[in-house]
Amino acid sequence: MRIAKLGVVGAGTMGSGIAALAASAGVPVVLLDVAAPQGDRTAPAKAGLERARKARPAAFMDPGRASLITLGNLEDSLELLRDCDLVLEAIIEQPAPKQALYARLEPLLKPTAIVASNTSGIPMQVLTEGRSARFTRHFLGMHFFNPPRYLHLLELIPTKETDPQALDAVRHFSEGVLGKGIVVAKDVPGFVANRLGVYGMVAAMKGMMESGLTIDEVDTLTGPLLGRAKSATFRTADITGLDVLLHVSKGLSASTGEDFSMPEWVETLAASGRLGDKTSGGFYKKVGKDITTLDWHTLEYGPQRKVDDPALGALLKEPLEKRLPMAAKLPGKYGDFVRNYLLRMSHYVLRTTPEIAYDIVAVDRGIEWGYAWEAGPCQQMDALGHDFLKEGFARLGLEVPPLLHKAKDGAFYHEREGNWNYLAFAGTYEKVPPIPGQIALDAVRSRKGAVVESAPDANLLDLGDGVLLLEARSKMNTMGAGVLAMLRKGLDRVADGKFVGLVIGNDDQRAFSAGADLSAVVGQVQAADWKGLDAMVRYFQEGAMLVRSAPFPVVAAPHGLTLGGGAEYALHADRIQAHAELYMGLVEAGVGLIPAGGGTKELLFRFTEQLTPYDEADPFEAVKRAFKVIAMATTSTSALEARSLGFLRPVADRITMNRDRLIADAKARVLDLAPDYVAPVPRTITALGREALGNLMYAGWAMREGGQITEHEVRIARELAYVLSGGDGPPRTVTEQDILDLEREAFLRLLGTKETQERIAYMLKTGKPLRN
């Protein structure tokens, strides 16, 4: 079974978001909703697509991919689903309407078509009542998390009747094409993530009331401090929608017999029409540019009061395995809340896991991927310590769950000979199942002989099959002296013949590289070491050119933040294998500089060469394009946008939808290129000189006159224009080194200005750009 075309029924928040994700991946989609009673009968589906177009964060990776979505309604357009390979239902969360839809679909769809429900908790066995054996063999649950583009988890819920081939086809499509992390859940109410996640949300709300805390305080305590997402409890609820949460909590209470009830004031809030982001407000409300917070006592909004506690700030700097036990020892009401919340959540997870999941790994991955936790609940319990749990359960009058009794040596996970093992329900320890297609660098590092060379800021790892990896490990993987030195060592090792090529990448979920190490630059500026600064920039440029000219393939695997110097090194690789979520840009203008690690040169050469096949093309268009991208510090919001901006090449560079597979895909590119590889030849172009410089400077002057840029930004634009024009003389043939020299000189001139130094200092202090 191969899934090439997707049908989605229901153009609400989830249905339109799933359609946008699939279209972003290049999959044709049919999106249907109810027929409007009058006027344009397809209006509900059109409204859903428009909602996805305008969604923030963006639902589409490229707005142009919306053209892959065909719209219709359930009365006039059901035939559009006839040739779909997978039809995903995402309509109202009630069994009867879903069952009625399936009855209409069964005689229409082709025999091999698979039908799935995006229900957030209705058991599959309920939904398939009355359907034929053929239908049930090709039916399963596909529970996406909101927003579908950004949350990695997809729960698959097969029934006992589901054909294993249908399950495999959906899993293959979901992992490889949509980029999802798959957890196969049991067919029970709430499945894995919702069952545990909703319990945790209710526990946080009730704990807040018991401790007399505010919404702002609880979101501070249940966010990154405990390894959770920044949206924590109440911001997550606003994103989900209070109506959805109340519906799910009531459904779970009814189906499980457990108490998932939300506090009465939440019911009152929802009844007043305040449902979160989909309405004018929820637990938070935006007023102009300000965010206000609900007072849960009065249901009125007031100024947001962020918690300013030095102890919490200090904890956030610690790694999670240290942060959690330290958070559990906090004094006062914050400590009481955190301890009770962690204990109640942990107890529920331990008691419920055997009922809802096939193993604890599914629970950990489900919560980590579905709610953006740093680590799953069982991993977090190991960090807290099993004695803490047992003592805490006794204090709260809770029995110790059997799963905790079975854990040996106080751990659910053990590492043995480089392999991680988990506690199975039978009490034995089994090998953690690998994520399909993933090369996990933790596993590589633990393999004997795989760490070829190691330093505090970077590693060289043997990925196997003759491929070497440069792994940056500096703060936000910045391209500092340690990383650059290790890069050269890596290039030398490959050149020696033991390896066939190099991958530049890492498995940090946040960033490929946040850029060059500005702190090192500041130190030399303060010492007035201009000769040393010149040597530093030369060294950085030389490293980029060594990547470009290496006599073997070098593949960069950028993902997440790929900024400044990190983007420059990626641009010089033979190929880029990018993750779909790529935020790539040459952002040096934000700190009063221009790219001087070869980025300015590379965009100028790349854009100029792209015009070569067209005799009538104006070469100034290439200069103007590079000027605009660099001067505006334009950063992509996806790999598809990075391609349209010119950071990724149309054919040579590829996109991986699933982050778990990025390193493996990059390795495969090296192995594909390695046989008979020939290094790129040196390049020359014609620099346009003073005419281009004049045109670019006029644009800068006009923006200054219009009040759009500051005087210093005019200076930055002038330096950038000078480099891109190849100076202010007549047109001339220039080499890459000619433009690199101009880059470096302009960089150092700007670095010598007070305004640029102020911008750098402000960025290092606040993490935000300064306009001066």
Side-chain angles (χ1 to χ4, degrees):
M1 296 179 180
R2 179 175 177 271
I3 298 171
K5 187 174 183 179
L6 175 68
V8 178
V9 181
T13 299
M14 287 304 299
S16 61
I18 294 165
L21 172 64
S24 296
V27 178
V29 180
V30 173
L31 178 62
L32 305 184
D33 209 310
V34 295
Q38 55 188 0
D40 184 355
R41 288 170 63 79
T42 306
K46 288 181 178 177
L49 179 58
E50 191 61 23
R51 185 186 306 112
R53 288 180 190 270
K54 295 179 178 179
R56 292 294 178 271
F60 284 97
M61 296 178 182
D62 174 3
R65 291 291 174 96
S67 63
L68 287 172
I69 299 178
T70 301
L71 301 177
N73 67 75
L74 286 170
E75 299 304 320
D76 310 318
S77 318
L78 204 64
E79 279 286 329
L80 293 173
L81 298 175
R82 185 178 292 276
D83 64 343
C84 290
D85 303 296
L86 169 64
V87 176
L88 179 66
E89 165 270 304
I91 65 173
I92 187 169
E93 192 70 350
Q94 295 175 13
K98 293 176 186 289
Q99 290 167 338
L101 173 64
Y102 304 154
R104 296 180 64 195
L105 291 177
E106 184 169 356
L108 172 73
L109 300 180
K110 58 187 179 182
T112 57
I114 300 167
V115 178
S117 175
N118 183 53
T119 177
S120 58
I122 302 173
M124 300 302 110
Q125 59 187 2
V126 173
L127 296 181
T128 55
E129 287 177 3
R131 300 274 55 82
S132 69
R134 182 179 69 82
F135 184 92
T136 55
R137 281 199 302 273
H138 287 185
F139 183 86
L140 73 162
M142 290 181 69
H143 182 213
F144 288 80
F145 281 69
N146 191 34
R149 171 181 167 182
Y150 298 97
L151 288 180
H152 191 46
L153 176 64
L154 173 60
E155 290 179 313
L156 298 183
I157 308 98
T159 70
K160 294 178 180 178
E161 292 78 25
T162 302
D163 185 338
Q165 288 187 333
L167 176 62
D168 288 346
V170 170
R171 180 165 194 157
H172 180 81
F173 172 75
S174 301
E175 287 176 332
V177 179
L178 300 184
K180 291 299 169 188
I182 300 300
V183 166
V184 177
K186 291 183 178 179
D187 188 14
V188 295
F191 315 130
V192 173
N194 264 5
R195 182 78 166 265
L196 301 179
V198 173
Y199 177 88
M201 191 167 288
V202 172
M205 290 178 180
K206 292 180 177 178
M208 174 182 72
M209 297 169 67
E210 291 170 3
S211 301
L213 301 180
T214 67
I215 285 174
D216 285 327
E217 287 175 319
V218 168
D219 268 1
T220 298
L221 296 172
T222 59
L225 178 71
L226 301 185
R228 274 70 162 166
K230 288 183 180 179
S231 55
T233 299
F234 292 99
R235 180 72 190 100
T236 297
D238 274 354
I239 294 170
T240 303
L242 274 67
D243 54 340
V244 174
L245 281 175
L246 285 166
H247 181 82
V248 171
S249 67
K250 289 176 181 177
L252 286 172
S253 293
S255 58
T256 65
E258 299 172 357
D259 182 12
F260 284 88
S261 60
M262 299 268 177
E264 285 188 17
W265 59 267
V266 178
E267 299 257 12
T268 304
L269 186 68
S272 71
R274 290 177 283 179
L275 305 177
D277 287 3
K278 66 179 73 176
T279 61
S280 59
F283 296 112
Y284 294 97
K285 181 177 181 180
K286 191 170 185 180
V287 180
K289 294 184 178 180
D290 297 324
I291 302 294
T292 60
T293 307
L294 184 79
D295 181 332
W296 60 269
H297 297 91
T298 65
L299 300 191
E300 300 293 330
Y301 295 95
Q304 190 172 30
R305 301 186 185 280
K306 296 187 177 180
V307 178
D308 185 15
D309 187 321
L312 298 182
L315 278 182
L316 286 170
K317 297 178 182 178
E318 298 291 340
L320 183 64
E321 61 270 19
K322 292 183 179 179
R323 192 189 325 144
L324 277 172
M326 293 170 71
K329 295 177 183 176
L330 284 169
K333 61 180 183 179
Y334 290 170
D336 290 340
F337 171 84
V338 167
R339 280 185 291 278
N340 289 340
Y341 170 72
L342 288 172
L343 288 166
R344 286 176 177 146
M345 182 69 184
S346 297
H347 188 270
Y348 187 75
V349 170
L350 291 171
R351 183 168 62 81
T352 311
T353 289
E355 176 191 343
I356 63 176
Y358 291 102
D359 52 50
I360 67 169
V361 179
V363 166
D364 279 348
R365 288 175 178 171
I367 298 300
E368 182 181 342
W369 294 342
Y371 293 97
W373 286 24
E374 283 185 58
C378 294
Q379 293 168 313
Q380 293 200 2
M381 283 185 248
D382 279 355
L384 285 167
H386 290 201
D387 288 342
F388 165 81
L389 297 175
K390 292 173 182 176
E391 292 166 7
F393 294 159
R395 178 172 57 81
L396 294 177
L398 301 171
E399 291 186 8
V400 175
L403 196 57
L404 186 59
H405 278 305
K406 293 177 182 178
K408 299 172 184 175
D409 302 322
F412 295 114
Y413 290 91
H414 286 298
E415 185 180 10
R416 294 175 182 170
E417 299 178 357
N419 294 314
W420 279 98
N421 299 281
Y422 71 94
L423 175 67
F425 297 149
T428 58
Y429 281 82
E430 309 293 340
K431 186 177 179 181
V432 172
I435 296 172
Q438 182 188 46
I439 294 179
L441 297 189
D442 279 342
V444 173
R445 284 190 292 271
S446 64
R447 196 173 67 230
K448 185 177 181 180
V451 180
V452 176
E453 193 153 347
S454 182
D457 286 348
N459 291 329
L460 291 177
L461 304 179
D462 184 349
L463 296 180
D465 302 312
V467 178
L468 189 66
L469 173 86
L470 170 70
E471 177 195 28
R473 293 176 67 82
S474 52
K475 183 178 180 180
M476 293 299 288
N477 308 311
T478 49
M479 306 295 287
V483 177
L484 298 180
M486 190 64 78
L487 169 67
R488 294 189 180 216
K489 290 181 179 180
L491 293 169
D492 287 342
R493 283 184 177 273
V494 180
D496 286 344
K498 181 179 178 182
F499 299 94
V500 299
L502 177 71
V503 170
I504 302 175
N506 61 68
D507 55 6
D508 184 331
Q509 296 297 317
R510 304 164 301 167
F512 172 76
S513 173
D517 182 3
L518 287 176
S519 60
V521 174
V522 168
Q524 291 193 279
V525 169
Q526 292 173 342
D529 184 6
W530 296 101
K531 185 176 181 180
L533 281 164
D534 180 85
M536 177 188 292
V537 180
R538 285 179 187 271
Y539 185 78
F540 200 99
Q541 290 179 333
E542 289 167 0
M545 292 305 291
L546 285 172
V547 168
R548 175 169 175 75
S549 62
F552 47 80
V554 179
V555 174
H559 62 278
L561 293 177
T562 302
L563 305 176
E568 290 179 294
Y569 269 67
L571 287 170
H572 283 80
D574 290 292
R575 298 289 187 272
I576 289 177
Q577 186 72 38
H579 181 228
E581 297 299 342
L582 179 66
Y583 315 122
M584 186 174 188
L586 298 173
V587 296
E588 286 83 353
V591 289
L593 297 166
I594 71 164
T600 303
K601 177 271 302 177
E602 188 59 27
L603 288 195
L604 175 63
F605 272 70
R606 181 175 293 191
F607 294 165
T608 299
E609 289 171 341
Q610 288 173 0
L611 296 178
T612 301
Y614 309 101
D615 293 337
E616 303 302 319
D618 180 358
F620 180 66
E621 290 299 316
V623 178
K624 185 171 68 173
R625 183 184 178 193
F627 179 82
K628 182 179 179 182
V629 169
I630 297 170
M632 302 301 291
T634 307
T635 302
S636 69
T637 58
S638 68
L640 289 175
E641 187 180 13
R643 181 175 282 163
S644 69
L645 291 170
F647 295 132
L648 303 189
R649 291 159 292 191
V651 177
D653 299 326
R654 297 178 185 170
I655 297 171
T656 295
M657 287 295 291
N658 194 323
R659 176 68 183 86
D660 295 329
R661 300 183 175 189
L662 183 61
I663 297 297
D665 288 350
K667 174 186 171 182
R669 295 301 305 279
V670 168
L671 293 173
D672 182 53
L673 293 168
D676 305 318
Y677 176 83
V678 177
V681 298
R683 300 177 291 176
T684 62
I685 61 169
T686 299
L688 302 182
R690 66 172 64 95
E691 184 176 350
L693 178 61
N695 288 336
L696 294 176
M697 285 314 304
Y698 175 78
W701 174 82
M703 292 179 72
R704 175 60 179 150
E705 287 295 300
Q708 296 173 273
I709 62 176
T710 68
E711 192 63 43
H712 188 56
E713 286 165 341
V714 173
R715 169 76 185 272
I716 299 167
R718 183 167 63 246
E719 293 287 4
L720 175 60
Y722 188 86
V723 176
L724 291 171
S725 302
D728 59 0
R732 65 185 178 113
T733 299
V734 294
T735 65
E736 293 180 82
Q737 188 60 51
D738 291 331
I739 303 300
L740 287 171
D741 290 340
L742 292 176
E743 269 188 8
R744 186 178 65 258
E745 293 160 5
F747 180 94
L748 293 172
R749 284 194 296 270
L750 287 168
L751 193 56
T753 64
K754 175 176 68 70
E755 293 84 357
T756 288
Q757 292 172 19
E758 289 172 348
R759 287 189 174 208
I760 294 173
Y762 190 82
M763 176 62 75
L764 288 173
K765 182 178 180 180
T766 69
K768 299 177 181 179
L770 172 68
R771 296 286 301 276
N772 61 350

